[in-house]
Amino acid sequence: MELERVDTRRAYELIRAQITTLEIAPGSVIHEQQLAEELDMGLSPVREALKLLAHDSLVVITPRYGLYVAEVNVPDLEQLSEMRMALESLSARLAALRATEDDIVVLEALRLEQARISAEDSAADSSRRLFDVDHKFHQAVARAAHNQYLADALERLFGLSQRLWYLALPQLGFLPSAVETHLDLVDAIENRDADRAERIMRGHVQEFYDQVRKVLAKR
């Protein structure tokens, strides 16, 4: 039973990564057996993983058409932006009130890593690397808020938002203001300025969705 749970988790993470990075495109039909063979895994954990991904709104399961990857559209963008702005802002506020010294050390380390990657202009994959660090930074803020339910909700929303970013990546790249924004946010959290932390995070998430919205409008 334990091994089955481990296999399901591994299948979930692998398939989720393929969906959120658009390796499996929105709207693609999913063939369970073929996917299991590609992942070199059993059919059972793949099926269980797909059920979990359906719960995450990344996969759609229908009696008539089978399984397919959920589409990405502007209404999704609007609903995601509403939710993430509210929850990310709350996360930053709580982090400013509850962060431990260890939490702040982690945030500062991630901010420095992001600044270092940003300075490497010659790196062809710098935008994707920056986005990965940005994800870790937001996870660290959520952990610093010390509310597991909030952290879990944000992680689910981030997976949905990640697909929007990969759709916009060719025209968008990584937002250049993000590094400076994270510096300001860490400073607000370290100084226990909850109002400022909340305001900075709201603006940061708003800017992301504003830029993605412009790109999707041209599609």
Side-chain angles (χ1 to χ4, degrees):
M1 182 63 71
E2 182 62 31
L3 180 60
E4 183 176 336
R5 284 198 294 268
V6 170
D7 285 347
T8 297
R9 172 53 56 178
R10 180 169 172 269
Y12 170 84
E13 291 173 353
L14 290 172
I15 300 169
R16 184 178 186 272
Q18 290 183 359
I19 291 174
T20 56
T21 60
L22 305 185
E23 185 176 340
I24 303 178
S28 297
V29 175
I30 298 173
H31 301 285
E32 295 176 331
Q33 185 62 52
Q34 180 181 336
L35 187 57
E37 291 173 0
E38 290 173 355
L39 296 176
D40 193 23
M41 301 188 72
L43 187 57
S44 180
V46 168
R47 281 178 172 166
E48 290 303 311
L50 290 170
K51 291 177 183 178
L52 294 173
L53 290 163
H55 181 265
D56 290 346
S57 300
L58 289 170
V59 168
V60 178
I61 302 175
T62 65
R64 184 173 182 180
Y65 299 106
L67 287 75
Y68 62 91
V69 178
E71 295 282 1
V72 176
N73 51 53
V74 174
D76 287 341
L77 173 66
E78 300 305 327
Q79 293 181 51
L80 280 170
S81 64
E82 288 177 353
M83 288 295 295
R84 277 201 68 207
M85 276 194 290
L87 296 184
E88 292 278 12
S89 299
L90 174 60
S91 178
R93 166 172 282 278
L94 293 178
L97 297 172
R98 300 174 178 175
T100 65
E101 289 185 9
D102 287 344
D103 292 330
I104 293 171
V105 167
V106 171
L107 288 168
E108 179 62 19
L110 289 168
R111 187 197 67 78
L112 289 173
E113 181 181 356
Q114 192 178 69
R116 178 183 59 77
I117 296 172
S118 182
E120 296 175 356
D121 295 334
S122 60
D125 63 340
S126 60
S127 288
R128 295 197 178 204
R129 291 164 62 200
L130 281 166
F131 190 75
D132 287 342
V133 177
D134 183 77
H135 182 196
K136 293 176 183 177
F137 184 87
H138 282 261
Q139 287 177 317
V141 172
R143 285 194 297 271
H146 294 279
N147 184 317
Q148 189 59 51
Y149 295 104
L150 177 59
D152 290 345
L154 284 171
E155 185 61 20
R156 178 171 179 266
L157 291 172
F158 194 92
L160 297 169
S161 297
Q162 189 174 7
R163 294 202 301 161
L164 295 170
W165 184 84
Y166 272 93
L167 279 173
L169 177 61
Q171 301 177 55
L172 179 60
F174 190 80
L175 297 178
S177 62
V179 175
E180 183 177 349
T181 299
H182 287 179
L183 172 62
D184 293 340
L185 183 56
V186 173
D187 180 72
I189 292 172
E190 189 170 7
N191 285 285
R192 307 299 177 186
D193 191 337
D195 289 342
R196 182 172 170 237
E198 181 178 8
R199 185 171 63 252
I200 291 170
M201 182 64 90
R202 179 175 290 275
H204 177 50
V205 176
Q206 178 72 64
E207 183 181 10
F208 168 80
Y209 282 106
D210 284 347
Q211 293 295 330
V212 172
R213 192 177 288 108
K214 290 177 183 176
V215 172
L216 292 183
K218 299 176 184 177
R219 289 174 60 86

